[in-house]
Amino acid sequence: MTAQLLDGNALGQKLRAGFKQRAEELAAQGMRPGLAVILVGEDPASQVYVRNKVNACQQAGFHSDKFTFPADVAPQVVLDKIAELNADPKIHGILVQLPLPRQFDADAVLDAIAAEKDVDGFRAENVGALMQGQPCFIPCTPYGVMKFFEDAGISLKGKEAVVVGRSNIVGKPMAMLLLHAGATVTICHSQTRDLAEHCRRADILVAAVGRPKMITGDMVKPGAVVIDVGINRLQDGPDAGKLCGDVDFASVKDVAAFITPVPGGVGPMTITMLLANTLESAERALNA
Ligand code: GUN
């Protein structure tokens, strides 16, 4: 193995230690950061993510509330809950776990969250502010990836960055953050011709597609920084049931200079940055 591991558990712990101090300063003024998480349906992966988010809040000393609804709930019921949470002074962040069941207009649900409590950064105003490079809530996963670069001293200026995946949650905001940091950015997706050729040009390669081990060593430039956002559960073979990323760790680790593992890479950083955004929201509420 030549690549250096970018350890999300270690970096997450380091950042969370700093949050504790800020939370204590808020507590001295009678304020406790509060996050409300809404989960609709019984998707097992979403249930795990939501549990991890609520647990992380509790460990950080934040207030947290979880609201679960059956998959066939009427969208208005969820919109009413969001309206109630928008008006609740104990709550500084509201997160609706995605994906939502088919009867929902996800954009309408996200836009119902008060802008100052949109700690996921998914509302249209936050997306626009991110595009313009204005202060906003930065979506947690790409925000966490940027912290890896910052912590490891990886400069992005003038670098070729390739983001594989164009989701609103990761791919698009990730590309925008890399662009603002001075990288030359390419976004690849399911219709991209010759994906491997694009990937091989990347100094910084971010995989966020949800396809197990699709980025292999022969697609990676020697010395590249490889960030694996995928969390996939293997269906067959000797490792069935185990988690793996979108990157074939076994072959890429010998080519890349830096690599994130799965699990223990980007995942813990997403939750860490959710705490960061919730804390920041509480600080803004106190200063408002
Ligand atoms: N589903 C997958 N990732 C995320 C995320 O970062 N936030 C929300 N709300 N849902 C998700």
Side-chain angles (χ1 to χ4, degrees), residues 9 32 86 95 109 121 151 157 172 188-189 200 209 216 243-245:
N9 285 319
R32 190 175 175 212
N86 281 342
L95 180 147
V109 172
D151 184 67
K157 284 197 179 70
K172 288 184 210 163
C188 296
H189 48 80
R200 274 193 290 268
V209 268
T216 47
L243 290 182
C244 80

Side-chain angles (χ1 to χ4, degrees), residues 37-38 46 49-50 53 94-99 110 120 122 139-142 169-170 270 274:
V37 182
I38 295 176
S46 291
Y49 297 146
V50 163
K53 288 170 184 177
I94 302 170
L95 180 147
V96 178
Q97 186 66 26
L98 300 174
L110 297 175
D120 253 333
F122 292 164
C140 304
T141 299
I169 295 179
V170 183
T270 296
L274 174 63

